[in-house]
Amino acid sequence: MKTHRNTKARFVFLLPAAVWVLTFTIFPLVYSLYLSVHKVETKMNVSREKVPMLDASGNPVLDAKGNPRTKIKINREKISTWTNIGFTNFKRLAEDPQVHSAIKVTSIFVLVAVPSQLVLGILLALLFNQRLWARSFLRAVMLLPIFATPLAVGYLFFTIFYEEGGPLGFLGVPFLSHPDWALFSVILVDIWQWTPFCFLVFLAALQGIPNELMEAAKMESKSKWGLFANIIFPMLTPTIVIVLLLRLAEAIKLFDIPFALTGGGPGVATQSMSFLAFRTGLRYFDLGYASAMSYCLLIIVMIIVTLFFRKLRQSYA
Amino acid sequence: MVGAFWYGDIVPNGYAFPIDDFMTTGEYPQWSYDSMPQSLKTLHTWEGVGYGVLNDGDGQVLYYRRDALANPEWRADFKKEYGYSMPVPPKTWQQMLDISNYFNGKNWDSNDPDPDSGTVLHLKVGEQGHYHFQSLSASFAITPGPELDQHHNVYWFDPTNMKPLINSPGHVAALEFLQELHKTGPSAQVGWSLGEAWDYFLRGKSVFVFSWGDVGSLCQDTSRSKIQGVCASSILPSSDTYYDHKDKKFVKTTNPVKVGNTTGGSWHGVISNYSANPEATYSLLSLMAIKPASIWLAQNGWTGVDPGFTYQFLEPQGEAGLGEYLDAGWSEADVKDYLKAYYETFFADTFLPYLRIPGSFEYWDILDKNLSATMSGEISPKQALDNTAKTWEQITDRLGRDQQLGYYQSAIGYK
Amino acid sequence: MAEVKLRGVKKSFDEVEVIHGVDLEIKDQEFVVFVGPSGCGKSTLLRMIAGLEDITAGEIYIGDTYVNDLHPADRGAAMVFQSYALYPHMSVRENIGFGLKLNKVPKAEIQRKVDEAAKILKIEELLDRRPAQLSGGQRQRVAIGRTIVREPSVFLFDEPLSNLDAALRVQMRMELEKLHANLNTTMIYVTHDQVEAMTMADRIFILNDGYVEQVGTPLELYRRPANIFVAGFIGSPKMNFLSVKVLEINGQQITLQLPGEDQMQLHRENINFRVGDILTLGIRPEHFELEQSKECFLSATVDMIERLGNETYIYANDASDNLLTVVGDGELDVSSKEKIKIHFTTDHCHLFGRDDQSIQ
């Protein structure tokens, strides 16, 4: 009897979470899959009629001549036709040069930005793990980019990269007007924004390595590289895998920085997959195709995440 | 507020509320489609029914520095270099390119000690780059003629089969020309939208900009502009060579026709069929469409509202008095040029047809991305426009070729 | 194998000096224990020898080599840490061979040395395990193994047994002694536990507040503590201390007033005090007896009795309410609140002057 009541209570407590997940995760997921294999056309049938104008207490309003005034009421009937088009949208993905370009842009971005963030994060963490002048102040400064809104960062760097009289204008670098440089600039901003996060996590991990362990190793070898490669790096590995995973999943979704900094351009040089999906879905209102793109992205992310978790589990075993 | 290019997506699907009945009741602030040039009136109606309430008139004109082009020293030097007198304003794009080239890299005004540019453009992808191309390419790619038929006065598609014309030799020549023009300005403009480009011109950094009416009124705002009084304007030049779609060859002409445009959105109010109270909505929109509100909006650059209506044009073409503009702080020389330029642009005989079909934005956005890739040097003009045409075909097929053809024909008045 | 010499070694952390000029010499093959309470500087001193702490002033020699500026790995010292400091991601074999591997010793030789060390420490069957799979004692052996294979000229131990349970501690203590006997290498061992110090050391260095208080063999320290600190630190239970007043000085014969009515006489050579001075008398609990057979006695009241079986601890208050500890045999017939007389001989009395130094 008691168990029974417990079950009920458990159900009640779980219900909000379940409803939340169903409403905001499962439903959109299923709906967008449904959308991706359909062509949706929405039309409205409209008719207008004149109805008497009523005042607050429900009496007809009269005009100057004493005739009842009328107003227009719009009757709407929304007609959506869903045509099953099978995997047409997914076939379009395979043939669409914009998609190919977006995958290329996203891949280059991920493959350059994420490793750079990790390496820089580790180097900075190693630096800050030593005694350093004004360490806590510098550490606080280092972390500031984490607290900036990506969109604002994009606009901020638009000013910094401004080629006619901007602060970096003297370099003569076409930060935003040359396709390769533009992608590099996007990568640079992402590195600026996310290296601190990697740094923070790695610093915490480094400080979690017992001091005596490092001292024991130090007494055995004076090769700093040997200690890093054999002690520090292996002990950081689980953390690196987690950070890599988080950064990969985040970086593949790249959207806000190009949106604010380059508009995806010049041309499509910085148009990422998410950006393209956004334009397709919310600018061309080709929701089915945008859903197909998003699914494509989701599958890529899931494959990567699964591989990583498998690797992670192995490294813990 | 909708852009004129939205009509194809909202009217046929039943989202827009027709206003013709309201206009005749006399119960609302009175304005009329007759206050508009035919070119703008078209943008406010769909298949003969009125939907849009007058607000903003968009079209691109050429702005140039009156002082630089009038300077006798520069003029003599230009003549020596190019072998002809610098025409003011330039009649052809080719002349304009020569002048732009001539001034580019020289410090031709005293606003700052640095060298200045010829022409500034706003080319950022996803923004207004493709509008530049539309206005500029019109006189390269349109075959002028008395009537609109399969080959004459068409620009976007072949009106018999919806095959894109966007990669025609005329269009390609125009894009090649735009690349040349781009070289006479700051290279950073590939990443610039309106704000950056206008600011550059207003700071006195370039001789030319061709853009919307905002520039003319912003020139008068001395908090942002260093060039009030020397901010001259004219209808856009025309190309001395155009492509004949019928004979499939380029035609050179000494006296090219002026080509008008309504490039842009001509942003204005349309009442949604979701409106709970269309009468009140119409009443408010109409209040902003009558002369006192409309002329005030046009006189102030920051509003984003540009002129195009009879009560904004000077007498005798329109109803406005010069004094009204002088009182609002305008330079006399500037305002006369400015309103003349817009009058000629909106009342031109030959016109860049406006793309008003379902999916207009998507067609334009594809064009825009390819243009941007060209301007940043990634792909050639021919390749860019071929890509565009190919994708346009896919869009047309996806949306339904017959339906698109029908809307296209009625949008440009093809019979 | 080497001797270790420290000359005027000082250490400051920021402005605070924690080691105030230590001179000491450790002989080759000697087993030396640094002992003292927490914060006395014994670990810091050891870490300075190891090279893990900078030396603020002074000189350190290992063998004939001046090592102040040498990297820890180059000093010929190997260290066992309190937490064992095993590398969690390496097997036992890798842990032991790690230093050799990094110093580019050929693989076959590493294998041989690791096997040899494992044999000495009886951990051959553990070689493929990870540290997480080992017990505390096993980890300790691995940590020692890691030092053995490097064949250092001096072994350093930083409280290596304090994480083990009591029984294991006794066992490891003996094994370390055996190891020292086998390897014949200089060993420096830091502990706060005087039992470890007494049982293992050839010589003990007692540190307090960054000074070396006394150096000597365990029995020297036990028998002739140089001052109250050493007297109180060495020996368990702790030495009893009584305030006594000098009543009379007759040549080298002095009469002292004990708490209450009792008096006693002592013979001392260095009379550096006067009649009326208050001195400290120290007597170890094991030197107190309840049988009426000794020269001197104290009157006291039993407060508490702890019976350990083989012996009995009696806690009793003297006339001045000092708590005295008496160790008697296991069968001792005594009960709480009982008035007793505590007897002792003058031979076992330690007398300390007002400067806390022992009066001989």
Side-chain angles (χ1 to χ4, degrees):
Chain A
M1 194 58 201
K2 208 174 176 190
T3 332
H4 182 68
R5 275 179 50 191
N6 270 347
T7 317
K8 240 184 193 169
R10 255 181 254 153
F11 179 75
V12 169
F13 280 114
L14 272 174
L15 196 62
V19 167
W20 180 271
V21 170
L22 280 173
T23 315
F24 295 108
T25 307
I26 306 294
F27 171 71
L29 212 61
V30 174
Y31 185 76
S32 63
L33 184 66
Y34 188 67
L35 208 56
S36 68
V37 294
H38 282 85
K39 182 178 176 181
V40 189
E41 284 160 305
T42 310
K43 271 197 183 340
M44 271 210 302
N45 275 348
V46 180
S47 65
R48 279 172 285 276
E49 57 176 316
K50 288 200 171 170
V51 295
M53 202 187 270
L54 303 177
D55 66 14
S57 45
N59 301 317
V61 180
L62 305 179
D63 65 13
K65 291 176 195 155
N67 299 322
R69 288 186 62 179
T70 57
K71 70 183 292 309
I72 289 174
K73 183 165 171 277
I74 304 169
N75 297 311
R76 294 175 295 266
E77 188 196 356
K78 200 171 171 184
I79 307 158
S80 292
T81 36
W82 292 65
T83 323
N84 191 323
I85 53 165
F87 290 99
T88 312
N89 280 330
F90 290 92
K91 279 181 212 142
R92 278 173 73 191
L93 280 178
E95 292 156 9
D96 188 343
Q98 288 223 49
V99 171
H100 302 165
S101 151
I103 289 177
K104 191 178 118 193
V105 166
T106 310
S107 306
I108 293 175
F109 171 81
V110 168
L111 291 177
V112 177
V114 173
S116 307
Q117 289 159 6
L118 258 69
V119 170
L120 285 174
I122 291 174
L123 290 178
L124 281 170
L126 288 173
L127 183 69
F128 276 78
N129 200 30
Q130 304 172 358
R131 269 184 224 165
L132 199 69
W133 175 80
R135 179 165 76 169
S136 42
F137 171 73
L138 289 175
R139 192 175 49 205
V141 170
M142 282 300 305
L143 294 180
L144 285 179
I146 296 180
F147 303 108
T149 311
L151 212 59
V153 169
Y155 287 122
L156 190 72
F157 271 88
F158 182 78
T159 324
I160 292 174
F161 290 143
Y162 199 65
E163 289 157 45
E164 289 288 324
L168 298 178
F170 67 93
L171 293 174
V173 172
F175 285 110
L176 303 177
S177 58
H178 186 280
D180 298 342
W181 275 104
L183 182 54
F184 178 76
S185 300
V186 168
I187 290 172
L188 213 59
V189 175
D190 198 73
I191 290 175
W192 179 85
Q193 174 140 54
W194 285 106
T195 298
F197 167 76
C198 302
F199 157 67
L200 183 68
V201 180
F202 289 136
L203 186 62
L206 276 182
Q207 291 181 342
I209 298 178
N211 208 16
E212 287 200 339
L213 203 69
M214 292 315 300
E215 289 179 342
K218 208 165 144 190
M219 290 207 61
E220 298 201 79
S221 168
K222 60 177 174 179
S223 153
K224 282 194 171 176
W225 168 250
L227 297 194
F228 176 78
N230 290 285
I231 308 287
I232 298 176
F233 189 79
M235 293 199 68
L236 281 185
T237 304
T239 313
I240 291 174
V241 174
I242 294 278
V243 172
L244 187 60
L245 187 68
L246 288 174
R247 284 307 306 138
L248 275 179
E250 182 80 22
I252 291 171
K253 298 188 299 192
L254 173 71
F255 173 75
D256 32 28
I257 292 172
F259 179 82
L261 190 64
T262 60
V268 290
T270 57
Q271 179 177 257
S272 62
M273 272 303 277
S274 297
F275 201 153
L276 179 60
F278 158 77
R279 270 186 170 174
T280 307
L282 297 176
R283 289 290 178 265
Y284 310 161
F285 294 101
D286 192 352
L287 288 171
Y289 192 31
S291 297
M293 286 178 187
S294 307
Y295 253 89
C296 171
L297 203 59
L298 179 72
I299 289 164
I300 294 173
V301 173
M302 295 240 300
I303 290 172
I304 292 172
V305 169
T306 311
L307 286 176
F308 265 93
F309 268 115
R310 191 172 296 166
K311 167 85 186 140
L312 194 63
R313 232 176 272 130
Q314 280 167 359
S315 76
Y316 272 128
Chain B
M1 288 287 148
V2 307
F5 54 92
W6 292 17
Y7 271 62
D9 291 310
I10 58 173
V11 182
N13 285 337
Y15 292 106
F17 181 92
I19 56 170
D20 290 340
D21 289 348
F22 285 159
M23 295 177 78
T24 54
T25 59
E27 290 178 24
Y28 304 100
Q30 274 300 299
W31 62 278
S32 158
Y33 283 134
D34 297 337
S35 309
M36 298 181 185
Q38 182 57 38
S39 53
L40 287 175
K41 182 178 173 182
T42 312
L43 305 188
H44 291 70
T45 57
W46 183 264
E47 294 178 336
V49 179
Y51 292 93
V53 182
L54 179 151
N55 181 49
D56 174 35
D58 272 344
Q60 292 190 337
V61 298
L62 178 71
Y63 296 94
Y64 61 94
R65 286 291 295 276
R66 188 179 294 119
D67 51 341
L69 267 61
N71 184 314
E73 251 172 77
W74 299 125
R75 295 186 62 81
D77 193 41
F78 178 87
K79 189 170 182 183
K80 212 163 70 188
E81 204 169 311
Y82 288 88
Y84 65 95
S85 283
M86 192 190 292
V88 182
K91 291 281 171 284
T92 69
W93 283 113
Q94 288 74 15
Q95 292 166 350
M96 184 248 190
L97 177 61
D98 285 346
I99 300 170
S100 190
N101 252 322
Y102 173 75
F103 281 108
N104 186 37
K106 293 191 172 67
N107 183 24
W108 42 260
D109 79 355
S110 52
N111 281 331
D112 60 46
D114 304 318
D116 302 308
S117 300
T119 304
V120 65
L121 301 166
H122 32 73
L123 295 172
K124 186 173 185 176
V125 72
E127 308 272 340
Q128 296 86 11
H130 66 99
Y131 292 114
H132 269 324
F133 177 72
Q134 288 184 28
S135 314
L136 179 135
S137 62
S139 60
F140 288 79
I142 292 174
T143 316
E147 295 291 325
L148 188 146
D149 58 24
Q150 188 185 359
H151 303 299
H152 296 92
N153 297 310
V154 289
Y155 176 89
W156 301 103
F157 297 94
D158 183 325
T160 62
N161 57 13
M162 273 309 268
K163 288 284 173 206
L165 297 175
I166 197 70
N167 56 342
S168 84
H171 287 86
V172 175
L175 186 48
E176 284 163 358
F177 180 88
L178 187 62
Q179 279 191 317
E180 290 305 308
L181 195 58
H182 167 49
K183 289 179 192 157
T184 69
S187 60
Q189 63 193 358
V190 168
W192 283 3
S193 63
L194 295 179
E196 293 82 49
W198 290 350
D199 178 63
Y200 194 81
F201 181 70
L202 295 174
R203 281 191 288 129
K205 296 291 294 172
S206 74
V207 175
F208 293 116
V209 64
F210 65 100
S211 192
W212 285 280
D214 306 64
V215 179
S217 47
L218 286 171
C219 281
Q220 312 305 317
D221 178 354
T222 49
S223 66
R224 294 179 59 177
S225 156
K226 293 181 178 175
I227 58 171
Q228 191 185 27
V230 291
C231 173
S233 17
S234 80
I235 185 171
L236 292 181
S238 289
S239 172
D240 62 10
T241 310
Y242 66 85
Y243 184 70
D244 189 325
H245 290 282
K246 189 165 185 226
D247 299 341
K248 307 268 178 263
K249 62 167 196 195
F250 282 101
V251 177
K252 184 132 181 124
T253 164
T254 47
N255 195 15
V257 296
K258 289 179 175 174
V259 182
N261 70 74
T262 50
T263 299
S266 292
W267 298 87
H268 58 261
V270 168
I271 301 167
S272 162
N273 267 336
Y274 281 100
S275 173
N277 206 334
E279 291 93 340
T281 315
Y282 180 74
S283 182
L284 175 69
L285 292 173
S286 298
L287 191 63
M288 292 196 297
I290 55 175
K291 184 183 172 185
S294 185
I295 195 168
W296 182 86
L297 288 169
Q299 281 168 348
N300 289 282
W302 57 266
T303 60
V305 172
D306 300 330
F309 312 114
T310 48
Y311 34 76
Q312 292 156 341
F313 291 125
L314 293 179
E315 292 155 340
Q317 290 109 340
E319 303 163 12
L322 182 61
E324 293 179 60
Y325 283 91
L326 299 184
D327 290 348
W330 283 62
S331 142
E332 183 175 343
D334 289 359
V335 73
K336 280 180 171 168
D337 265 8
Y338 176 69
L339 294 172
K340 179 166 173 275
Y342 268 100
Y343 188 82
E344 287 180 11
T345 298
F346 289 142
F347 285 94
D349 292 331
T350 305
F351 226 87
L352 168 67
Y354 199 95
L355 187 65
R356 303 172 81 227
I357 56 175
S360 285
F361 179 80
E362 189 175 353
Y363 286 109
W364 279 357
D365 200 49
I366 296 298
L367 172 64
D368 183 58
K369 285 180 191 176
N370 280 296
L371 291 173
S372 174
T374 309
M375 299 316 288
S376 62
E378 250 183 308
I379 52 178
S380 73
K382 174 98 176 81
Q383 204 181 341
L385 295 176
D386 283 347
N387 289 349
T388 306
K390 197 177 152 203
T391 313
W392 281 16
E393 283 282 89
Q394 290 165 358
I395 300 171
T396 303
D397 285 336
R398 197 174 79 244
L399 297 178
R401 185 168 295 269
D402 293 343
Q403 171 211 299
Q404 294 295 93
L405 186 61
Y407 285 128
Y408 179 62
Q409 289 175 342
S410 87
I412 63 171
Y414 176 83
K415 283 164 194 119
Chain C
M1 284 171 274
E3 47 185 34
V4 176
K5 267 181 280 182
L6 274 69
R7 297 258 167 78
V9 167
K10 290 184 180 178
K11 175 69 185 177
S12 303
F13 289 110
D14 297 324
E15 299 298 300
V16 185
E17 192 171 88
V18 293
I19 304 281
H20 313 283
V22 167
D23 294 280
L24 55 84
E25 287 196 20
I26 296 162
K27 296 186 208 85
D28 187 19
Q29 300 186 13
E30 198 175 16
F31 194 121
V32 160
V33 173
F34 292 171
V35 69
S38 304
C40 69
K42 56 190 188 298
S43 277
T44 305
L45 205 56
L46 188 78
R47 291 165 56 81
M48 286 164 84
I49 297 169
L52 298 175
E53 298 284 355
D54 297 333
I55 298 156
T56 309
E59 296 157 7
I60 297 181
Y61 295 87
I62 296 178
D64 295 325
T65 317
Y66 171 71
V67 298
N68 279 38
D69 305 324
L70 283 188
H71 188 275
D74 290 341
R75 296 189 177 194
M79 185 151 160
V80 175
F81 292 85
Q82 180 173 1
S83 67
Y84 322 130
L86 301 182
Y87 313 125
H89 56 287
M90 297 182 195
S91 68
V92 167
R93 176 179 291 283
E94 289 165 334
N95 259 285
I96 297 177
F98 177 68
L100 301 177
K101 181 182 146 201
L102 248 57
N103 292 310
K104 309 254 180 338
V105 175
K107 269 193 180 159
E109 197 180 337
I110 298 179
Q111 169 113 15
R112 188 179 58 73
K113 285 189 171 176
V114 172
D115 287 340
E116 201 177 304
K119 202 172 158 198
I120 296 174
L121 296 164
K122 304 189 182 67
I123 51 171
E124 292 119 307
E125 73 281 8
L126 304 178
L127 284 175
D128 295 323
R129 294 202 195 162
R130 289 277 171 102
Q133 298 166 295
L134 303 180
S135 70
Q138 290 168 330
R139 287 181 207 183
Q140 184 60 266
R141 283 162 207 267
V142 176
I144 294 168
R146 203 164 60 182
T147 56
I148 292 177
V149 293
R150 299 202 37 230
E151 296 169 4
S153 43
V154 51
F155 283 90
L156 308 174
F157 296 91
D158 190 4
E159 309 224 16
L161 304 186
S162 49
N163 286 0
L164 300 179
D165 64 49
L168 209 50
R169 214 179 293 179
V170 174
Q171 190 193 340
M172 284 306 295
R173 222 157 65 192
M174 295 199 305
E175 291 193 23
L176 279 175
E177 284 175 76
K178 273 189 213 156
L179 190 69
H180 179 237
N182 284 341
L183 298 175
N184 267 325
T185 310
T186 315
M187 291 187 175
I188 307 175
Y189 187 105
V190 162
T191 181
H192 65 272
D193 180 350
Q194 55 101 10
V195 179
E196 279 177 28
M198 294 296 283
T199 50
M200 296 165 78
D202 292 337
R203 276 198 301 157
I204 296 175
F205 288 70
I206 296 192
L207 282 93
N208 187 31
D209 274 343
Y211 293 100
V212 176
E213 295 280 357
Q214 193 175 359
V215 181
T217 64
L219 286 181
E220 276 168 15
L221 297 180
Y222 179 77
R223 287 183 184 142
R224 303 171 70 90
N227 52 43
I228 288 184
F229 177 80
V230 175
F233 193 81
I234 296 291
S236 174
K238 208 173 135 147
M239 185 184 276
N240 296 294
F241 293 108
L242 304 167
S243 290
V244 293
K245 189 173 178 182
V246 181
L247 291 177
E248 193 185 333
I249 303 172
N250 189 359
Q252 294 183 332
Q253 198 70 25
I254 50 175
T255 309
L256 300 171
Q257 173 70 56
L258 295 172
E261 303 294 309
D262 308 316
Q263 296 184 0
M264 68 171 292
Q265 296 203 318
L266 263 180
H267 180 268
R268 281 296 182 269
E269 286 168 10
N270 301 327
I271 308 296
N272 53 2
F273 47 85
R274 287 176 300 193
V275 172
D277 281 358
I278 305 289
L279 304 178
T280 304
L281 184 70
I283 305 152
R284 296 195 183 277
E286 58 269 35
H287 296 145
F288 277 148
E289 281 183 45
L290 296 188
E291 282 96 71
Q292 207 166 349
S293 60
K294 306 292 184 197
E295 312 149 46
C296 318
F297 64 85
L298 279 162
S299 304
T301 310
V302 176
D303 184 33
M304 213 177 72
I305 303 158
E306 290 180 341
R307 292 192 184 276
L308 277 65
N310 61 333
E311 46 190 26
T312 306
Y313 292 174
I314 300 156
Y315 301 98
N317 289 311
D318 69 10
S320 309
D321 249 7
N322 287 317
L323 189 68
L324 302 176
T325 313
V326 180
V327 175
D329 67 56
E331 310 296 322
L332 203 64
D333 178 24
V334 66
S335 55
S336 189
K337 306 294 174 210
E338 186 182 335
K339 303 239 182 259
I340 52 170
K341 281 195 181 341
I342 301 172
H343 296 258
F344 55 95
T345 66
T346 53
D347 291 352
H348 288 128
C349 286
H350 305 268
L351 191 63
F352 302 98
R354 302 204 321 180
D355 57 358
D356 287 356
Q357 296 303 310
S358 174
I359 300 168
Q360 297 297 321

